[in-house]
Amino acid sequence: MDSILAVAVEQLIQGLEQWNANVGRKLHLASSQLDAANSVEEYQQIGIIVREAWIEFGQSIFKPMMATEVRTKLSPSDAKRLVEYALQYYTVDYEYLLKTAKDSFDLANRIQHDVNVRSELVWQLLAGATLSMTLIGHLIIQSALYKNRPYYKCPNCGGLKLEATTEGMLDSDGPIPVEVLRCADCEWYYVEDLGGMSGIGQPPL
């Protein structure tokens, strides 16, 4: 592979890994395997890894409240729809980023089944996917909605799967609704309405 492209892809992966460690690890794995790959089967496997990275990426940026009008539950493996709802939530100028993300996911699917796939196409996949995820991540981080969140990653485990739910806190006058921010990976919680209380497990509501 061209050394300029190799350096560029590696730098993008390192930057993405600081924001989303799980996705970054998958892309690092794809990159290291591609460096040594010399068969169709190995190229197809890299397509599978990039596809899995897109699914992980979509799950990490999507929250259920972004698609409240959806009547059927979204599949956790439907990366294209997860990314689409997240982009619609964070910005109105999402068409280009959404197209590149969908094209990249479709290319990963194509490569994993392509019996004539060549290394050049797989490098295009890896470089395109990494750049697309980086641009989407940058857009989300820069958005006002994202900046106004009390936390954008779990301070306990570093995960990005934070979900906000409304729960009832018992009071002498009856239950009072409070918003609880939870980490889906380690059960860390944060309750702004209780003076910024945080902990692991079930909050004392």
Side-chain angles (χ1 to χ4, degrees):
M1 184 191 63
D2 188 279
S3 60
I4 296 177
L5 181 58
V7 172
V9 169
E10 183 62 26
Q11 288 180 341
L12 285 173
I13 293 177
Q14 289 178 1
L16 186 61
E17 191 171 28
Q18 294 179 7
W19 182 66
N20 194 318
N22 290 335
V23 172
R25 283 193 291 269
K26 283 185 170 63
L27 294 177
H28 269 303
L29 176 62
S31 179
S32 62
Q33 289 192 8
L34 187 49
D35 276 331
N38 55 20
S39 70
V40 168
E41 291 77 12
E42 291 171 323
Y43 297 147
Q44 290 175 328
Q45 180 61 34
I46 293 162
I48 293 174
I49 295 172
V50 174
R51 179 182 181 275
E52 292 175 348
W54 268 117
I55 293 173
E56 177 73 29
F57 183 80
Q59 292 173 351
S60 71
I61 64 174
F62 173 79
K63 307 298 177 222
M65 51 81 173
M66 296 175 179
T68 54
E69 77 284 1
V70 179
R71 296 183 179 180
T72 58
K73 185 177 180 180
L74 291 174
S75 169
S77 64
D78 193 348
K80 292 193 290 186
R81 293 190 70 193
L82 298 179
V83 170
E84 181 174 5
Y85 279 109
L87 284 174
Q88 289 176 346
Y89 178 78
Y90 286 113
T91 181
V92 295
D93 299 317
Y94 63 86
E95 288 84 359
Y96 172 76
L97 288 178
L98 178 60
K99 183 179 185 304
T100 58
K102 287 183 174 182
D103 287 347
S104 175
F105 186 78
D106 288 341
L107 181 57
N109 280 329
R110 170 189 161 188
I111 286 175
Q112 74 178 83
H113 300 292
D114 189 349
V115 297
N116 297 307
V117 63
R118 297 168 60 88
S119 63
E120 293 84 354
L121 186 61
V122 186
W123 276 115
Q124 291 175 31
L125 168 66
L126 180 59
T130 304
L131 178 58
S132 179
M133 292 181 196
T134 300
L135 290 173
I136 293 173
H138 175 75
L139 181 148
I140 292 174
I141 291 174
Q142 294 301 313
S143 72
L145 286 170
Y146 196 81
K147 289 180 178 179
N148 290 337
R149 295 174 60 183
Y151 290 97
Y152 70 91
K153 68 165 57 176
C154 175
N156 184 59
C157 72
L160 294 174
K161 297 179 182 178
L162 298 182
E163 300 177 353
T165 60
T166 300
E167 302 184 16
M169 180 180 70
L170 295 179
D171 185 76
S172 58
D173 297 325
I176 300 175
V178 296
E179 184 176 90
V180 179
L181 192 65
R182 296 180 185 276
C183 175
D185 292 328
C186 72
E187 297 187 345
W188 172 86
Y189 66 82
Y190 172 85
V191 188
E192 176 70 26
D193 296 327
L194 296 180
M197 176 188 293
S198 63
I200 305 294
Q202 182 66 27
L205 299 179

